[in-house]
Amino acid sequence: MAFVDQAQVELKAGKGGDGIVSFRHEKFVAMGGPFGGDGGHGGSIILKVDEGLRTLMDFRYNRHFKAQSGGKGGTKGMTGASAEDRIISVPQGTIVSDADTGEVLGDMVHEGQTLLVARGGRGGRGNIHFATPANPAPELSENGEPGQVRRIKLELRVLADVGLVGFPSAGKSTLLSVVSNAKPKIAAYHFTTINPNIGMVRLSDDRDFVMADLPGLIEGASEGVGLGFQFLRHVERTRVILHLVDMSGIEGQDPYTQYRKILTELEQYDPTILERPQIVVGTKMDMPDSQENYEKFVSEVKADSGLKFEPEIMAISAVTHKGVDDLLRATADMLDKAPVPESYKVEEETDAEAKLYKFEEEQAEVSVDWDAELDCWIISGPEVEKLAAMTNLQREATIMRFARQLRHMGVDDKLREAGAKDGDDVRINNSNFIFEYSD
């Protein structure tokens, strides 16, 4: 199965149910009055973390999600049925952002964590709510509020305590296969690993941690060369980095040169990555020239005054298992002291939900423009478009109420300032609601 770590989906929450106009008709009940109930709430769309998922493959072919609408109100003041929320499962480590604004909505890292991403519309009010002393029998009701429509971007960043980085064929997959039950592909050619592999490592002292074999990096990876930065993002999640360097020299590459090139790519992508605890691991120590190359490498690293940190250096042979246990113990000790990266910290869900309401309030503005092609004035704005959608055009009373609301919002004044004349057609954006302007 291909590894998919980015996806963009379109969401449409459910519309609220329509309120109705109804009157009480019962024997011996004089002037029964309004009795129309409210519509039910539309279903919201909620993301939920499922630790059984490993990729965003489910969103590769299914990119449109829609929640059900609420039920219509009933007589006797009965409220319509509310629709169930649409729950969409995502893997751990998914960052959710608004595709249009780029705003990060949530960081999904905990099993069972939920995030409201598209709010369902509230049900429209029935005429039972519009009774007043001046109008005890109103023929007023509301249509349901439209559900929120939103495009979101999902970006998966693999959750692992330890990340293996290094040039292709540095021995990352071999090490992971030796220390865990993971079965990564191993072969004698570059870029054997093209997808992150994850394994659980358990030590004899019952400590354990998650290790990720990240695809090989090469010079220019931070600019998109090779596998590019599509997998560099996964390094951000790791708390400890094991930087594997091939000591065999069979590739004709100097170990120290390879080591510095990888550091450069990591720093160019995100300088804070080099602040993470790191162990430099010399691999393939079972090869003939490895010991000599390792000693030279250690001396070059210690003599390098350009390094911003002094790394711990260890040597292993994954084939013979030499030094592997010592490396795992050192890694576990380092994890015990390693801080939790900022990317793990999640906003409170209530704040994320509040953003959805604030998003509409901030844009409650009305604009008036002339459309020469349609030969009419166009009124646009989230609030006025929502009011139009919730207006029951089948009843004159609700149309008159909508006209008063437009006047209260200053639409009449804006049309007059824009140069509208008596008899001009006016249209509410994204609707078929057209009326004639009269000053």
Side-chain angles (χ1 to χ4, degrees):
M1 181 177 67
F3 184 85
V4 179
D5 64 353
Q6 282 187 316
Q8 184 168 298
V9 296
E10 295 184 3
L11 310 174
K12 185 176 183 180
K15 171 183 173 294
D18 297 340
I20 68 166
V21 173
S22 177
F23 294 94
R24 190 171 183 177
H25 300 286
E26 294 181 66
K27 192 175 183 180
F28 306 120
V29 179
M31 303 177 65
F35 222 21
D38 302 342
H41 288 289
S44 297
I45 299 181
I46 298 173
L47 301 183
K48 184 175 182 180
V49 173
D50 182 352
E51 65 178 3
L53 297 178
R54 289 291 178 265
T55 75
L56 297 174
M57 177 63 76
D58 291 346
F59 303 98
R60 186 169 186 176
Y61 303 108
N62 186 11
R63 302 190 179 190
H64 301 272
F65 295 88
K66 184 178 180 181
Q68 296 295 316
S69 299
K72 189 176 180 180
T75 59
K76 300 183 181 179
M78 292 188 293
T79 301
S82 293
E84 292 187 2
D85 294 333
R86 179 80 182 268
I87 307 296
I88 303 174
S89 298
V90 296
Q92 284 181 294
T94 301
I95 295 177
V96 186
S97 58
D98 190 294
D100 298 317
T101 65
E103 178 186 14
V104 176
L105 304 176
D107 193 356
M108 313 289 285
V109 295
H110 303 297
E111 167 63 14
Q113 178 185 347
T114 59
L115 176 68
L116 174 66
V117 287
R119 181 171 56 87
R122 68 172 177 84
R125 291 175 294 176
N127 68 331
I128 196 172
H129 291 283
F130 294 98
T132 64
N135 186 11
E139 294 191 8
L140 289 172
S141 67
E142 289 179 333
N143 291 338
E145 179 186 14
Q148 189 174 22
V149 178
R150 165 174 263 163
R151 293 192 309 135
I152 62 170
K153 180 181 178 182
L154 305 176
E155 181 178 322
L156 175 61
R157 299 187 182 181
V158 170
L159 286 173
D161 299 308
V162 179
L164 305 180
V165 301
F167 263 73
S169 299
K172 301 183 295 299
S173 297
T174 304
L175 176 61
L176 183 65
S177 68
V178 167
V179 301
S180 73
N181 290 327
K183 304 297 181 184
K185 184 178 180 180
I186 301 172
Y189 55 85
H190 289 181
F191 296 111
T192 307
T193 302
I194 59 175
N195 301 321
N197 293 304
I198 300 177
M200 175 64 73
V201 180
R202 182 175 294 276
L203 279 64
S204 57
D205 58 5
D206 290 334
R207 288 186 293 177
D208 55 32
F209 54 84
V210 178
M211 179 181 287
D213 164 25
L214 304 175
L217 305 177
I218 61 175
E219 188 175 7
S222 60
E223 300 174 358
V225 178
L227 293 175
F229 48 75
Q230 61 176 316
F231 292 117
L232 270 171
R233 69 173 66 95
H234 300 302
V235 182
E236 296 180 42
R237 294 289 194 181
T238 59
R239 297 171 57 200
V240 171
I241 296 174
L242 298 187
H243 187 161
L244 274 58
V245 184
D246 182 1
M247 294 296 160
S248 67
I250 58 176
E251 296 287 338
Q253 294 286 338
D254 176 56
Y256 178 71
T257 302
Q258 291 185 322
Y259 169 67
R260 289 293 291 171
K261 286 180 178 178
I262 295 298
L263 287 185
T264 300
E265 297 306 320
L266 293 175
E267 184 175 21
Q268 288 180 350
Y269 178 75
D270 184 357
T272 63
I273 290 179
L274 296 186
E275 299 174 5
R276 310 276 173 87
Q278 182 178 146
I279 300 177
V280 180
V281 184
T283 62
K284 303 183 182 181
M285 294 301 293
D286 54 294
M287 301 298 287
D289 298 326
S290 294
Q291 185 61 39
E292 180 181 346
N293 292 335
Y294 176 72
E295 293 174 0
K296 178 184 176 184
F297 173 77
V298 172
S299 63
E300 289 176 323
V301 171
K302 291 184 176 180
D304 190 345
S305 59
L307 290 175
K308 299 180 181 178
F309 58 94
E310 185 174 344
E312 183 175 349
I313 307 175
M314 303 183 71
I316 67 166
S317 169
V319 175
T320 64
H321 293 202
K322 181 180 179 180
V324 172
D325 289 341
D326 292 338
L327 173 62
L328 295 181
R329 282 192 290 271
T331 303
D333 292 341
M334 196 169 282
L335 274 172
D336 292 339
K337 304 174 184 177
V340 177
E342 288 292 329
S343 56
Y344 274 62
K345 296 179 180 178
V346 186
E347 275 188 289
E348 292 294 332
E349 188 173 336
T350 53
D351 292 342
E353 184 172 346
K355 283 183 183 179
L356 297 178
Y357 288 88
K358 188 177 179 182
F359 178 78
E360 292 183 355
E361 293 171 2
E362 289 177 345
Q363 301 187 43
E365 298 179 357
V366 179
S367 61
V368 175
D369 299 290
W370 174 258
D371 190 316
E373 184 177 346
L374 297 176
D375 193 31
C376 67
W377 294 96
I378 302 294
I379 302 175
S380 58
E383 194 65 28
V384 70
E385 291 172 24
K386 183 176 74 172
L387 285 174
M390 297 180 68
T391 298
N392 184 351
L393 301 180
Q394 305 301 316
R395 293 184 177 274
E396 184 178 355
T398 56
I399 295 176
M400 296 302 296
R401 176 173 177 264
F402 180 59
R404 292 193 297 272
Q405 289 173 318
L406 290 182
R407 190 176 303 111
H408 179 73
M409 295 172 68
V411 173
D412 286 8
D413 294 336
K414 290 191 176 184
L415 283 168
R416 189 180 303 108
E417 292 171 3
K421 301 176 182 178
D422 286 348
D424 285 353
D425 287 336
V426 181
R427 180 173 184 170
I428 306 296
N429 191 35
N430 296 325
S431 75
N432 295 320
F433 197 166
I434 301 176
F435 59 92
E436 189 176 285
Y437 174 71
S438 177
D439 194 355

